[in-house]
Amino acid sequence: MINQTLGQQAGFNLLWLQSGGCGGCSLSLLNAESPNLLHTLEGAGINLLWHPMLSEETGSEMVRILEAILAGEIRLDALCFEGAVMRGPNDTGRFHMLAGTGRSMLDWVQDLAAVAGYTLGIGTGASFGGITAGGGNPTDACGLQFAETERGGVLGEAYRSIRGLPVINVAGCPTHPNWITETLMQLALGEFSEADLDEWQRPRGYADHLVHHGCPRNEFYEFKASAEEHSQLGCMMEHMGCLGTQAHADCNTRLWNGEGSCLRGGYACINCTAPGFQEPGHPFQETPKFAGIPIGLPTDMPKAWFVALASLSKAATPNRLRQNAVSDHIVVPPQTRKKGRHE
Amino acid sequence: MSKLIVGPFNRVEGDLEVQIETADGVVEKAWVVSPMYRGFEQILHGKDPRDALIYTPRICGICSVSQSIATADALARAGGVERPKNGELALNLIHACENLADHFTHFYLFFMPDFARDIYRDESWFSPVAERFKAVRGRAAPDVMQARAEFMHLMGIMAGKWPHTLGIQPGGSTRSIETKEKVRLLSILGGFRRFLEQRLFNAPLEQMLEIGDQQQLEDWLAAGDPAQSDFRRLLQLSRDLHLDQLGKTDGRFMSYGVYPLEGARTFRAGLWYQGVAGELDTTGITEDISHSWMEGQAEPQHPFQGVTLPSGDPDKGYSWCKAPRLDGEVVEVGALARQLIDGQPLVNDLVQRSGSNVRNRVIARLLEMPRVLIEMEQWVRQLKPSEPYCSDSRTMREAEGVGLTEAARGSLGHWVRIKHGRILNYQIIAPTTWNFSPRDQQGISGPLEQALIGAPVRQGEREPVAVQHIVRSFDPCMVCTVH
């Protein structure tokens, strides 16, 4: 039974739907800790109207919640939509029908977004299309308000939610649990405005940082001491396709699953918070180069300066870094100062 | 005769609709519908083979590591790459962490909340079950999420992040583990062990593995308090609700085996039917599209030859799922199959007595946790920090390879053909594709469609709770099914 008074209750009502993604952002959300997800939501006064993994209501019970929202009986403060929206085949949306309803998710999301206080695209799929829009995009997948870098999506460029914001793109593949919970908490507190969104409508709380910040391989980067194979310790920008200097996210200062990040796990950043990341135009784990110089240099540094500094720092690379960069564990430890040592 | 369309299903991964015809209060016919298609096999066509490691984990957020392992194995096979022992151990630890977290999440957050539904309020066990397992509001949920998140710190250390790690490579793991990290891994495993021993079983894990047959299991149930042990609670309500009679299939089982180490698999591969274990020959695997919304050759194809092309004709079939068959036969996959084929004594006794059913599927899943956690503790101890974790991978021009592994919910296979250094064909058969397959050319239903026949539907029930138990006992993953 739907609580008839829920629409009038204090608190912040959240509905979560999934479409053409992998469910990975929901699974990532369950990794929230200190406190756990349920206590985090409860503390922020956020009511889960329905979530596909957690809720009891199933089948027609769930459809009744959607109908009550559309009828204005339940106030929808935040619509969290996970995964790309699939428009195909031939704009029918039939590649994803909401089970039990005979209606496409394309239709459902357009109706629900029209009554939502805020609409959030959860993950890069819902934000821009993401992986599902890769290859030849066989399902004609796109995001809620973007088709890759192009504004529009299924809700249209002019879309504003009831409280006046465009779609908030909590992009990432998957997205970090705290990127979601912190955005929701800010919305529930009324402390989030359009100025808190970057040019791709991502929350600036995490998107104003670069993955490069806090990378444990920064010393290798400084001296351009590069890894050449997987599992080696050196910087992965020169040969391994790492985009950490260009990717907007705080992965290396916020960390994942207690203490990880892609780079800490030994593999290159693929810039998964960005529109179009799934089609880089070259093998992901190779750095495209022109005349031996990587094409994708840090965006806010003049190329000539980068090349000049890189050749200088390469000439000055300490032996320790040169050797460790191509090893899978530390073979040359930092030296201790001999001055003042006790005999 | 009346027809019900049940959906959307929740507390499963992905999208599912079940259509049933009922008569005299039971299900007479069932159709399992996967209503979502994304086209990974089409997306992969023409890509650099190594790029499959980026795409395939994103088939699924709940078993992304299993998808990575299948890809890495297929590419390793195609390129003739051998892994160092450290690499095998690291990949097994990462894979096992995902599989156990999956069993754990399934039991507490997906399966048990159905017994806290109001339909059971007259049962003697209802009030403690509702208090502990009620969806979202139950006492167990926050503790379970905390324990799961802390267990997943293993992923933070060994895999960078979960889901969608790229650390799983054909040559092994990109992350070397140092001595100081070995002890931290042991403490993470110890934390998870403590939760299982205190709350799930209320017994040492080693003691759980000594229960050798159904009688000993009943004795163990009688010797303790279900209020202190969630596993005892499951056994108690299984007995009261006769869950060993619910959701039966014909019980032909398959497992690819999993967790390879030095030439052997920790769980062995094989087939099992009517008490007889057999060798597995995967050349007999085909996919049938006669009842799927798919285009292609009418005759079932082996995945090396198969194609995945969606049909524009909505009347062509009733699901985006294909119908995989082994030598033309339906097989069930999952933890029950895996442990049966591996020779687990209790699971063998339970299946000999009552076959494949809701209770046995869940017991097999829960008893896999102690078995695998004990292995994980050994694997960590065997890591050798000064030795390599990854061998070089190679660029392939012309090759083919197959990667066969076990996700939590059963057998997962990837078949890749490479030409001119690009992916010519990539075909995936996921566990739920086997279990939730539609009818084939002969009109034979897949395991779930079979298991639903005879399920009771109470007067006026719109979402029959028995159907919910049966569906969730398979722990389906619909996004994997149709990819």
Side-chain angles (χ1 to χ4, degrees):
Chain A
M1 280 296 288
I2 294 161
N3 185 341
Q4 294 296 326
T5 61
L6 201 51
Q8 283 73 50
Q9 257 182 1
F12 189 85
N13 291 338
L14 170 65
L15 172 73
W16 190 293
L17 295 177
Q18 293 172 333
S19 190
C22 66
C25 292
S26 277
L27 267 308
S28 182
L29 180 66
L30 296 189
N31 292 338
E33 54 187 315
S34 305
N36 62 78
L37 174 67
L38 294 175
H39 289 165
T40 298
L41 296 179
E42 190 184 307
I46 298 171
N47 309 312
L48 269 188
L49 292 174
W50 194 77
H51 186 286
M53 288 188 173
L54 301 172
S55 296
E56 177 173 306
E57 296 87 351
T58 193
S60 62
E61 302 157 344
M62 177 273 190
V63 176
R64 216 155 51 227
I65 296 173
L66 300 188
E67 287 167 351
I69 290 168
L70 293 178
E73 294 158 26
I74 299 178
R75 191 187 66 241
L76 175 59
D77 293 300
L79 170 65
C80 285
F81 194 85
E82 175 182 0
V85 189
M86 293 174 301
R87 295 173 292 190
N90 303 320
D91 293 323
T92 60
R94 201 169 57 78
F95 281 130
H96 185 199
M97 304 296 280
L98 179 57
T101 70
R103 262 191 111 202
S104 68
M105 193 56 108
L106 176 65
D107 288 341
W108 278 108
V109 72
Q110 286 173 333
D111 285 357
L112 289 161
V115 299
Y118 301 105
T119 298
L120 293 86
I122 302 291
T124 303
S127 298
F128 310 120
I131 284 285
T132 309
N137 194 357
T139 56
D140 199 12
C142 70
L144 293 173
Q145 208 167 12
F146 284 88
E148 301 314 325
T149 53
E150 191 180 319
R151 283 173 197 277
V154 295
L155 298 179
E157 193 174 352
Y159 172 81
R160 287 287 186 278
S161 62
I162 297 289
R163 300 207 196 166
L165 288 191
V167 174
I168 298 163
N169 290 324
V170 191
C173 192
T175 189
H176 192 289
N178 293 11
W179 299 346
I180 307 171
T181 54
E182 287 173 14
T183 305
L184 287 170
M185 289 169 75
Q186 288 171 340
L187 291 170
L189 282 170
E191 292 182 356
F192 195 99
S193 71
E194 200 157 346
D196 294 308
L197 295 174
D198 81 348
E199 64 174 315
W200 302 119
Q201 295 169 204
R202 298 174 297 199
R204 294 177 56 188
Y206 75 89
D208 277 358
H209 301 266
L210 293 173
V211 169
H212 185 55
H213 300 161
C215 175
R217 299 180 185 225
N218 277 356
E219 195 188 21
F220 294 100
Y221 174 86
E222 286 167 28
F223 289 100
K224 296 289 161 289
S226 297
E228 291 166 13
E229 293 283 345
H230 284 302
S231 90
Q232 296 175 349
L233 300 178
C235 174
M236 293 189 281
M237 177 190 166
E238 191 178 5
H239 304 304
M240 310 290 285
C242 185
L243 296 174
T245 55
Q246 299 156 60
H248 289 240
D250 57 8
C251 300
N252 271 313
T253 48
R254 184 187 293 274
L255 304 186
W256 294 69
N257 301 104
E259 50 196 296
S261 71
C262 292
L263 290 146
R264 282 159 205 256
Y267 47 97
C269 169
I270 58 171
N271 197 10
C272 75
T273 59
F277 90 94
Q278 75 279 1
E279 288 292 337
H282 58 82
F284 279 97
Q285 297 173 74
E286 272 179 17
T287 305
K289 290 174 195 160
F290 183 73
I293 299 164
I295 289 168
L297 296 176
T299 44
D300 39 16
M301 187 168 185
K303 195 166 191 166
W305 276 105
F306 184 90
V307 172
L309 289 171
S311 55
L312 199 61
S313 58
K314 269 201 175 188
T317 306
N319 178 50
R320 170 174 64 88
L321 294 175
R322 186 167 304 170
Q323 285 198 45
N324 288 343
V326 291
S327 302
D328 60 7
H329 57 280
I330 294 168
V331 289
V332 185
Q335 284 180 346
T336 49
R337 277 179 193 276
K338 293 202 171 66
K339 199 168 71 175
R341 211 171 104 190
H342 297 287
E343 290 301 323
Chain B
M1 183 84 68
S2 66
K3 189 159 182 171
L4 273 182
I5 296 178
V6 188
F9 267 85
N10 60 331
R11 286 178 281 114
V12 301
E13 171 42 48
D15 285 77
L16 169 67
E17 176 176 297
V18 172
Q19 301 176 3
I20 49 177
E21 270 182 21
T22 60
D24 303 324
V26 296
V27 174
E28 282 211 323
K29 288 182 184 166
W31 295 265
V32 174
V33 181
S34 299
M36 189 178 90
Y37 173 78
R38 287 166 300 160
F40 273 79
E41 286 135 325
Q42 291 174 279
I43 291 168
L44 286 164
H45 177 77
K47 299 283 185 208
D48 183 290
R50 294 164 295 170
D51 286 353
L53 291 161
I54 309 282
Y55 292 98
T56 65
R58 290 170 167 88
I59 288 171
C60 178
I62 198 164
C63 38
S64 80
V65 164
S66 297
Q67 299 284 352
S68 298
I69 295 271
T71 300
D73 285 356
L75 295 179
R77 191 79 69 87
V81 178
E82 300 284 334
R83 269 172 212 153
K85 185 177 178 189
N86 272 341
E88 288 191 316
L89 291 166
L91 264 45
N92 284 348
L93 281 161
I94 294 166
H95 193 189
C97 180
E98 176 176 275
N99 283 344
L100 294 198
D102 208 335
H103 291 331
F104 187 67
T105 310
H106 174 266
F107 176 73
Y108 281 106
L109 300 182
F110 299 173
F111 184 72
M112 288 303 281
D114 279 324
F115 300 96
R117 295 174 74 89
D118 281 348
I119 200 160
Y120 289 126
R121 65 183 163 268
D122 295 332
E123 300 288 341
S124 59
W125 41 257
F126 180 74
S127 115
V129 166
E131 190 190 312
R132 184 148 177 79
F133 295 106
K134 189 89 179 156
V136 183
R137 298 198 301 280
R139 289 270 175 86
D143 295 347
V144 162
M145 286 186 188
Q146 193 67 38
R148 176 187 174 280
E150 287 173 9
F151 183 46
M152 285 279 179
H153 285 201
L154 184 143
M155 295 294 199
I157 295 172
M158 301 196 72
K161 74 168 194 293
W162 182 92
H164 306 340
T165 170
L166 187 50
I168 296 157
Q169 293 287 328
S173 165
T174 59
R175 178 67 158 84
S176 300
I177 298 300
E178 311 277 348
T179 305
K180 63 171 184 178
E181 288 156 341
K182 276 181 69 169
V183 290
R184 288 182 39 242
L185 293 171
L186 287 173
S187 70
I188 290 167
L189 296 178
F192 195 58
R193 177 188 264 266
R194 200 164 297 116
F195 191 99
L196 299 186
E197 292 189 337
Q198 288 180 352
R199 295 312 325 235
L200 180 57
F201 296 114
N202 196 230
L205 299 187
E206 286 75 7
Q207 193 188 92
M208 298 312 298
L209 297 181
E210 286 165 11
I211 300 172
D213 60 31
Q214 182 163 313
Q215 186 56 51
Q216 289 175 26
L217 186 66
E218 282 166 16
D219 294 345
W220 182 83
L221 168 62
D225 178 3
Q228 304 299 322
S229 159
D230 298 325
F231 185 58
R232 275 199 176 87
R233 185 68 80 193
L234 168 83
L235 295 174
Q236 178 197 38
L237 58 83
S238 292
R239 187 186 59 198
D240 288 6
L241 296 173
H242 306 289
L243 296 185
D244 60 338
Q245 300 302 312
L246 192 67
K248 286 176 169 280
T249 68
D250 87 336
R252 187 184 295 272
F253 294 99
M254 178 181 84
S255 170
Y256 293 151
V258 67
Y259 309 130
L261 195 59
E262 299 182 308
R265 294 195 165 211
T266 307
F267 285 86
R268 74 172 84 110
L271 279 174
W272 193 97
Y273 187 54
Q274 293 185 335
V276 180
E279 295 288 309
L280 175 64
D281 176 5
T282 58
T283 57
I285 292 174
T286 56
E287 285 197 290
D288 178 313
I289 60 167
S290 61
H291 291 72
S292 311
W293 290 313
M294 291 289 166
E295 303 279 9
Q297 290 175 323
E299 286 307 305
Q301 301 291 317
H302 184 270
F304 270 136
Q305 280 77 45
V307 293
T308 303
L309 277 178
S311 164
D313 178 5
D315 299 324
K316 175 166 180 305
Y318 63 89
S319 179
W320 292 112
C321 184
K322 297 184 190 175
R325 298 291 184 261
L326 177 66
D327 300 325
E329 303 278 359
V330 171
V331 295
E332 178 178 342
V333 299
L336 188 60
R338 196 158 51 234
Q339 298 225 57
L340 187 65
I341 287 163
D342 196 53
Q344 213 276 3
L346 172 61
V347 169
N348 271 267
D349 190 53
L350 295 175
V351 172
Q352 296 285 4
R353 289 170 190 275
S354 58
S356 173
N357 54 59
V358 169
R359 182 197 69 176
N360 291 353
R361 284 184 204 109
V362 182
I363 289 177
R365 202 175 284 123
L366 293 177
L367 287 177
E368 197 165 277
M369 290 204 259
R371 165 83 202 279
V372 174
L373 195 66
I374 290 167
E375 293 284 354
M376 290 175 82
E377 291 166 346
Q378 299 305 318
W379 294 335
V380 170
R381 290 192 175 93
Q382 292 179 56
L383 290 171
K384 293 208 167 76
S386 57
E387 293 181 8
Y389 281 76
C390 198
S391 57
D392 294 354
S393 48
R394 297 168 207 174
T395 315
M396 289 155 277
R397 302 295 302 169
E398 316 284 325
E400 60 179 43
V402 54
L404 303 174
T405 189
E406 290 278 310
R409 53 193 58 72
S411 309
L412 171 66
H414 287 196
W415 287 261
V416 61
R417 289 171 65 200
I418 298 160
K419 195 162 178 157
H420 305 312
R422 298 275 152 177
I423 293 171
L424 177 68
N425 194 18
Y426 202 110
Q427 294 295 315
I428 300 148
I429 305 181
T432 309
T433 322
W434 288 100
N435 286 339
F436 284 28
S437 83
R439 288 155 170 78
D440 59 25
Q441 281 181 334
Q442 278 71 47
I444 309 291
S445 285
L448 176 62
E449 289 187 351
Q450 293 175 15
L452 287 168
I453 307 302
V457 179
R458 303 175 192 214
Q459 191 70 37
E461 251 191 323
R462 178 69 189 74
E463 266 68 43
V465 75
V467 170
Q468 310 281 330
H469 297 325
I470 295 168
V471 164
R472 296 202 181 93
S473 74
F474 287 94
D475 186 13
C477 182
M478 307 311 296
V479 288
C480 282
T481 306
V482 292
H483 28 277

